[in-house]
Amino acid sequence: MSGPAAGTAVAATTTDVVCLGESMVTFLPSQPGRLADVPSFGRGIGGAESNVACALAAAGHRAAWVGRVGADGFGDHLVETIASYGVDTSAVRRDPVRPTGIYFRTATDRGTDTHEVAYYRAGSAASAMSPANVPYEELFAGRVLHLSGITAALSGDCLALLRELTAARPGRPLVSFDVNHRPHLWRGGDASVLLELARRADLVFVGEDEAEEAWGIVGAEAIRAAVPEPSVLVVKQGSAGATVFASGLRPGPRSSNAGGAENAPGARSTEGGGAECGGAEDAAAAATGPDTVTHVPALHVDVVAAVGAGDAFAAGFLSATLRGLPVRDRARHGHLMAAAVLTVPGDLTEPPARDHADRLVALDDDAWGRLRLGPGWTAADRASEEVRTP
């Protein structure tokens, strides 16, 4: 039987965000150059959804990662490393037959012609995820369920699982979906299915370049026209920043005494003034109002490695959403979390302290535009130490 049984009670919410997807062991080069020329590699972890979970946990949220790994040493390493960030991995399943996926990559920017990635994930444990073998009670136990289009590309069963998880049903948590189009995963497949999944979600992240490549849709307004259902659509525009289309949400900074909970998509106010994210029904109700359109410029960043920034942006935006912050601040927190990852070699890093990030987010537009961040900036004690004219 696939999917949660009708009428099944969902467990009490004790988790902020549950992330489902494949995580792999990644081998990072010891020096620049072609894979054929790199003499040695350092071991790390990589996976869009587990990256988001780790970043959220490091930022102080209750995050869980649900996936499937092999009963092997690489699976042990993944689970132990992800858990070391404070992520709940208790719902991860071990596959006794299929291996944990691994990949090797070069040190160059993913967007350049010289970038190389060698994946060894065909037939991996994660590709066997299906509607019949995932723990629905744990998946639906969070305030937000975060998914990505990478999972949909792994196998027919994985695509069926995402269709099941994004289907409208009572008790479904707010669904966050990062399109994460990876062309090499869709060779011979139909990436237009990502549009179908995006339209079934409540909060969607998509790059302008992804939408053009996967769907042939050009420009933020055209993307919103093609994806009208989500209450919040974040169109990432590279160095230009991000444009957020939101239904019924305040775009600008809140006053210092505002709780802000009413501004989370599908959120309900709580006695403590925090944001309690509701489910799909609440988000759908929020989506009935007219859009506000908020463009938030990106930061000037001295990039060390352009890998993992999209996942970090999603984590920063989700973190601010959980806090009930207005749209502009959510996108700025996304940019700051991305900047933290862009200034280190790997996919994960320690995020800036919350009060530090909040001070930067509160800068006026001119100061935000002058902000330039380089390696080590997250350790600075005062926001003013980061501000210098590019």
Side-chain angles (χ1 to χ4, degrees), residues 144-206:
V144 177
L145 173 61
H146 180 71
L147 309 168
S148 101
I150 293 174
T151 305
L154 297 180
S155 68
D157 281 344
C158 284
L159 174 56
L161 173 61
L162 283 205
R163 283 180 165 142
E164 186 73 37
L165 294 176
T166 56
R169 61 164 52 87
R172 190 190 85 174
L174 186 143
V175 171
S176 166
F177 181 69
D178 192 335
V179 170
N180 255 329
H181 176 240
R182 297 289 184 265
H184 66 275
L185 290 177
W186 290 99
R187 290 178 189 140
D190 182 8
S192 67
V193 71
L194 298 174
L195 181 58
E196 170 201 334
L197 294 170
R199 295 184 63 179
R200 294 156 67 109
D202 306 306
L203 165 59
V204 172
F205 302 93
V206 62

Side-chain angles (χ1 to χ4, degrees), residues 85-220:
Y85 283 85
V87 176
D88 181 356
T89 59
S90 61
V92 175
R93 299 296 191 255
R94 306 301 290 260
D95 192 308
V97 177
R98 299 172 182 86
T100 303
I102 64 172
Y103 71 98
F104 297 77
R105 68 172 175 84
T106 54
T108 51
D109 185 339
R110 179 182 284 151
T112 67
D113 292 338
T114 58
H115 185 70
E116 296 177 73
V117 182
Y119 289 102
Y120 300 90
R121 74 198 310 177
S124 70
S127 70
M129 289 188 294
S130 77
N133 64 17
V134 296
Y136 284 94
E137 185 173 353
E138 287 90 344
L139 286 171
F140 286 179
R143 297 158 67 186
V144 177
L145 173 61
H146 180 71
L147 309 168
S148 101
I150 293 174
T151 305
L154 297 180
S155 68
D157 281 344
C158 284
L159 174 56
L161 173 61
L162 283 205
R163 283 180 165 142
E164 186 73 37
L165 294 176
T166 56
R169 61 164 52 87
R172 190 190 85 174
L174 186 143
V175 171
S176 166
F177 181 69
D178 192 335
V179 170
N180 255 329
H181 176 240
R182 297 289 184 265
H184 66 275
L185 290 177
W186 290 99
R187 290 178 189 140
D190 182 8
S192 67
V193 71
L194 298 174
L195 181 58
E196 170 201 334
L197 294 170
R199 295 184 63 179
R200 294 156 67 109
D202 306 306
L203 165 59
V204 172
F205 302 93
V206 62
E208 269 191 330
D209 55 343
E210 294 178 298
E212 182 174 2
E213 187 169 18
W215 307 329
I217 300 172
V218 180

Side-chain angles (χ1 to χ4, degrees), residues 2-384:
S2 66
T8 299
V10 176
T13 299
T14 59
T15 303
D16 292 322
V17 181
V18 177
C19 303
L20 173 135
E22 180 177 36
S23 192
M24 296 182 288
V25 173
T26 177
F27 290 91
L28 307 173
S30 58
Q31 64 185 45
R34 302 183 309 151
L35 286 179
D37 300 328
V38 175
S40 61
F41 296 82
R43 186 179 63 175
I45 65 170
E49 302 84 1
S50 60
N51 286 348
V52 171
C54 289
L56 284 167
H61 298 284
R62 298 164 300 180
W65 173 64
V66 177
R68 191 175 182 89
V69 300
D72 50 35
F74 287 146
D76 294 341
H77 176 66
L78 274 177
V79 174
E80 291 166 6
T81 303
I82 293 169
S84 73
Y85 283 85
V87 176
D88 181 356
T89 59
S90 61
V92 175
R93 299 296 191 255
R94 306 301 290 260
D95 192 308
V97 177
R98 299 172 182 86
T100 303
I102 64 172
Y103 71 98
F104 297 77
R105 68 172 175 84
T106 54
T108 51
D109 185 339
R110 179 182 284 151
T112 67
D113 292 338
T114 58
H115 185 70
E116 296 177 73
V117 182
Y119 289 102
Y120 300 90
R121 74 198 310 177
S124 70
S127 70
M129 289 188 294
S130 77
N133 64 17
V134 296
Y136 284 94
E137 185 173 353
E138 287 90 344
L139 286 171
F140 286 179
R143 297 158 67 186
V144 177
L145 173 61
H146 180 71
L147 309 168
S148 101
I150 293 174
T151 305
L154 297 180
S155 68
D157 281 344
C158 284
L159 174 56
L161 173 61
L162 283 205
R163 283 180 165 142
E164 186 73 37
L165 294 176
T166 56
R169 61 164 52 87
R172 190 190 85 174
L174 186 143
V175 171
S176 166
F177 181 69
D178 192 335
V179 170
N180 255 329
H181 176 240
R182 297 289 184 265
H184 66 275
L185 290 177
W186 290 99
R187 290 178 189 140
D190 182 8
S192 67
V193 71
L194 298 174
L195 181 58
E196 170 201 334
L197 294 170
R199 295 184 63 179
R200 294 156 67 109
D202 306 306
L203 165 59
V204 172
F205 302 93
V206 62
E208 269 191 330
D209 55 343
E210 294 178 298
E212 182 174 2
E213 187 169 18
W215 307 329
I217 300 172
V218 180
E221 294 285 347
I223 296 170
R224 181 51 161 171
V227 191
E229 291 87 355
S231 57
V232 178
L233 170 68
V234 183
V235 180
K236 298 176 289 183
Q237 298 164 300
S239 61
T243 297
V244 184
F245 298 85
S247 301
L249 304 184
R250 184 169 62 246
R254 65 181 181 183
S255 62
S256 59
N257 62 350
E262 70 279 6
N263 290 301
R268 298 182 291 271
S269 297
T270 61
E271 291 182 2
E276 179 186 347
C277 289
E281 298 95 334
D282 293 338
T288 59
D291 270 348
T292 59
V293 183
T294 308
H295 178 74
V296 181
L299 293 162
H300 301 283
V301 179
D302 298 327
V303 176
V304 173
V307 178
D311 304 331
F313 180 94
F317 194 97
L318 284 169
S319 173
T321 297
L322 289 163
R323 296 172 60 197
L325 301 184
V327 171
R328 187 208 69 172
D329 293 4
R330 297 182 199 186
R332 283 191 172 188
H333 274 285
H335 286 317
L336 287 169
M337 198 80 86
V341 169
L342 287 169
T343 50
V344 298
D347 291 18
L348 294 167
T349 189
E350 188 72 19
R354 180 171 290 184
D355 60 346
H356 183 187
D358 284 345
R359 288 196 300 270
L360 294 177
V361 165
L363 293 172
D364 62 34
D365 290 346
D366 288 341
W368 178 263
R370 294 195 303 271
L371 195 62
R372 189 177 192 103
L373 304 175
W377 74 269
T378 58
D381 292 329
R382 295 187 306 276
S384 60

